[in-house]
Amino acid sequence: MPPTSATPTIDDVRRIAAAVSNWGRWGSEDQLGTLNHLTAERVASGAQCVRRGDVISMAVPFDSDGPQRGGWGRFNPIHLMMRDGNDAVTGTTVRDFYGGFDGYVRGTDDLLILPLQAGTQWDALSHMVFEGKIYNGYAATEVSSLGALKNDIAQAREKLIGRGVLLDIARWKGKPWLDGGEAISGDDLEDCAAAQGVEVRPGDIVLVRTGQMGQVKAEGDWGDYAAGYSARAPGLGLASAEWIHAKQVAAVATDTWGAEVLPTETRDVSMPMHIILIVHMGLTLGEIFDLEALADDCASDGVYEFLFSAPPLPITRAVGSPINPVAVK
Amino acid sequence: MPPTSATPTIDDVRRIAAAVSNWGRWGSEDQLGTLNHLTAERVASGAQCVRRGDVISMAVPFDSDGPQRGGWGRFNPIHLMMRDGNDAVTGTTVRDFYGGFDGYVRGTDDLLILPLQAGTQWDALSHMVFEGKIYNGYAATEVSSLGALKNDIAQAREKLIGRGVLLDIARWKGKPWLDGGEAISGDDLEDCAAAQGVEVRPGDIVLVRTGQMGQVKAEGDWGDYAAGYSARAPGLGLASAEWIHAKQVAAVATDTWGAEVLPTETRDVSMPMHIILIVHMGLTLGEIFDLEALADDCASDGVYEFLFSAPPLPITRAVGSPINPVAVK
Amino acid sequence: MPPTSATPTIDDVRRIAAAVSNWGRWGSEDQLGTLNHLTAERVASGAQCVRRGDVISMAVPFDSDGPQRGGWGRFNPIHLMMRDGNDAVTGTTVRDFYGGFDGYVRGTDDLLILPLQAGTQWDALSHMVFEGKIYNGYAATEVSSLGALKNDIAQAREKLIGRGVLLDIARWKGKPWLDGGEAISGDDLEDCAAAQGVEVRPGDIVLVRTGQMGQVKAEGDWGDYAAGYSARAPGLGLASAEWIHAKQVAAVATDTWGAEVLPTETRDVSMPMHIILIVHMGLTLGEIFDLEALADDCASDGVYEFLFSAPPLPITRAVGSPINPVAVK
Amino acid sequence: MPPTSATPTIDDVRRIAAAVSNWGRWGSEDQLGTLNHLTAERVASGAQCVRRGDVISMAVPFDSDGPQRGGWGRFNPIHLMMRDGNDAVTGTTVRDFYGGFDGYVRGTDDLLILPLQAGTQWDALSHMVFEGKIYNGYAATEVSSLGALKNDIAQAREKLIGRGVLLDIARWKGKPWLDGGEAISGDDLEDCAAAQGVEVRPGDIVLVRTGQMGQVKAEGDWGDYAAGYSARAPGLGLASAEWIHAKQVAAVATDTWGAEVLPTETRDVSMPMHIILIVHMGLTLGEIFDLEALADDCASDGVYEFLFSAPPLPITRAVGSPINPVAVK
């Protein structure tokens, strides 16, 4: 279902969205979307992918050196100590926190201020609104100043562990990283999987590597990585939607800020794939994944499937969650 | 190695701590402690515990209804929206966040302010200081206002997924929950495991259920759950340290605020097991786990082993991490 | 203009609001409301009230012992150190913050997380919405997730210093504090001023003491002070609106959580005086003022006028500001 | 008392500090330092400086466009809405915050996350440590992770309103702004005052304009304004300490990030004037003041004295406070 004009518009987006929409598919009360594809049986088959037992993290460190540059008010995580080892050494833990009683032990405590979209994260199905609706047709007003009364990330608390598949598009294309503006199609995903000798199955969590995280590391600077619409980034193109839908994957994640290609392929739509994938398909989307170590490992042993684990923090009414996704090879 | 007097003192704590200390065991640079027991091979054997593929979360919801009551400055998570569905509906997303350009899609964003010890969490090995030292003999001053330069929770980013074992002490004792002040010994842990027909192996993550979380739910009130030293709670007693050490477990978690029995068994030490387990043994300790659903499941199928997954968020220099631990049966 | 029925309703509120409305009075672009009454000349006359030069603060301490109990998500201020004196003592300031260079001096830094309505504060004219509008007829959507584009507290950055008058209603009535539910009328305000021998003039900042803050101190507990609509509190009644309007005061503040009497005098309106005073009159309202020390001073010298100073912090787009109001006698 | 060598060292700093030290001057329990100079009588004489009643704010807006660039963990204020006008419009205020009861009115609420040194602010006397001590000889450990038990900013809650004097050094030197590295001496301050025809008296709050804030505005960019030690900025030199001491001023504020000249005049001391003024003299120092409008006003009427008002927020145990300082001419 490729766009029918040279420059796709909102009409194309609407058409694709309608074709891959899962509204009502799992009932009018559903808040899980494509996570429904991740059945217990498929979780079990994910566990069977473990061979060596090596664990590879895909999280970017949560700290002040993260990618955020202030766009839309997002900033990098702020970490603060509430009590520390110095208090233990000078005696102020006992004086100021233990009421003067010295029971020998002294604890340390800390605190984090974290925009939930700041680092490696899942977008909840309440993270995107299109024409006044969120996934499954719930009114956008279900996401008020109090948070998401529908489709919050806590719905997924017992999901997002299962079979993971890495599609290393950059390596498959013989590049260290894709270019900004380079769109990934369904054919690319299919051909890459075939070339890697891995089958994408229903319920899989599919990780798509563009190499942009590697580029950031090579350049030693986040640059415009999190610059939003104004940036250039490789990513999922409109022509990937139908493949993702047909494959019945549970979730997709990439190593970029916004998962989809930037600038977008549409003349008038800011993030068409967010409309199609999140709002209509009900796909849980992962962003800012560091896939470099995993990709190296997969390239080295030729095995692109693994147990993937990244259940979100059950933050009530949240529209996203920070995660530390791990692959177990 | 039970305490030698009717009322144990710091001398007993020192003696037990020395007996189970792992300082230097994995080298002078080690920052993982007992997580070293969790080898790749053992991770793989954990994955083999998956049978049905059912996923059970052990996290308490992260929200304002959590257990904290202000002690030591800890408070329940504060969740705030940065942009919401109402902005999408009224048009202020476009006006105020998108520079007036209407690209059809509208996002929502949120933020969390979270004491890292507020809810279901891992204590990092930098969370406790004893006699000016943290685990492996690092100076307490390695944990400054900037955070933990040694033993921070980010060290464990590729650990804490492996074989999990539930020891349901409350059910084994035929009680809905243990009493405040009821201490769990190594013999209790051993006998419970035997009664459950499960073997605790090196590298396991052991979950100890006291039932206190069930009590909170039954009573509909957190009460003194997070009241600290002044509370009464069941938990690990001094007589459990040697067993935990001998078994070479990777981590231990409980369904209580502080893992160890309160009031403590010592006359003069506030949290002796925190000294013994965290500072000397180098054991990553989990707290505020909700083990109720898992316990019901294990009781129903008689299987007390499972794949356990809860790698921490790699928060740089943090002394703890919120987690959503899951068991896959 | 007293309500015309035994139990006033929204119709009475609408009628009173219309009678005292200042919408358009200072032009369609106005964002200051009654602060317009505070002309330079009147500021100067306020300065002339200073005799002895004694300064009396009316702020409640900003800390965790404040009045908030979680209602509407409000909590007491959270204060955290970013660097402290212990870092200076142990050397971690130099190691962790100064790049290892010891230039002899060591700084300390801190941070505050503060709901702007948590303590002693001004309500901005954007703090209240009635029938889709804020003061001067601006659409409520001018107050989005980005904050208040109209009527934010920063508008008042060069206001709120001028002649202050204390009306000590409790003392005038011969009580230590008014009762919960006890309404203050325009006649009360007028008669109290007369009894005190003080004239209320245009542009004044009028402080109305109910004594409730004294009650809190006497009882050693905030109790239901900040419990919102469900609490009982003395305060301004509907019958005070016309007086406030006629007097052309610049601002009014009280020693209660919500300035108006609770339960309210209306059957169907939650906070009628907030509609009347903030939305329609455009009156900047001060709350949680500690008037005890000032009241004692005024009673002792019989002088109820003074220089009042409490310009808000110019927090861009904020709907309130914490303040430390001072009276200079 | 000018430094005795071409390049002053810590010995010179110690000598100057000793010469101007106020430790013990107001007793061993004193926590106010030079604010003691601001007697009631002098407050009253400050009020007499008001002529026209014009109010001029000196605060930089508290928002994300502030000067901070992350140094020492400082960031610009983060403002978040907790409830907004959109909730009022769509009905979610009633649904999500008022328990479904529609009492006609709808409130908005907000929250600020603010490093207390981020914008226009007072440094408390606990903000600086030298040789293990803070002002008046208190141990640095009085400033723990819990905050400042001595010399916190709340001590000054009834101070910092009084006679203000502007010394417009830049204008006096005939420059739009001083150069980075340009030091201001006591002679400069004295001569400037004389040229302006204003006398600096005991208890005054002295505002020293370098013009750097005007430079920032002219250039439309904060640049290195808040870059710390590595920046170049005009400011107070070592040769100003004795004058400030002799004049018995209550407080000093400037329009720069750090009040003193940068790079400093010392070979080995990072911020010598912070040692001398804050730690030893006990001078409350104001920073990041916007003196542009005030300077224009003073130049226009030739009157450089005014009522100054900026009592800090009484944030318990804080080492600084945001303020909105105003001058009333």
Side-chain angles (χ1 to χ4, degrees), chain A residues 152-165:
Chain A
D152 74 335
I153 199 65
Q155 302 296 321
R157 62 191 291 151
E158 295 184 334
K159 294 287 180 179
L160 290 160
I161 179 166
R163 181 172 180 263
V165 168

Side-chain angles (χ1 to χ4, degrees), chain B residues 275-304:
Chain B
I275 293 174
I276 294 166
L277 297 180
I278 298 181
V279 181
H280 272 281
M281 195 184 294
L283 182 84
T284 298
L285 206 56
E287 292 164 343
I288 317 184
F289 277 49
D290 182 347
L291 302 175
E292 296 306 291
L294 177 61
D296 286 346
D297 186 277
C298 293
S300 124
D301 71 0
V303 178
Y304 284 83

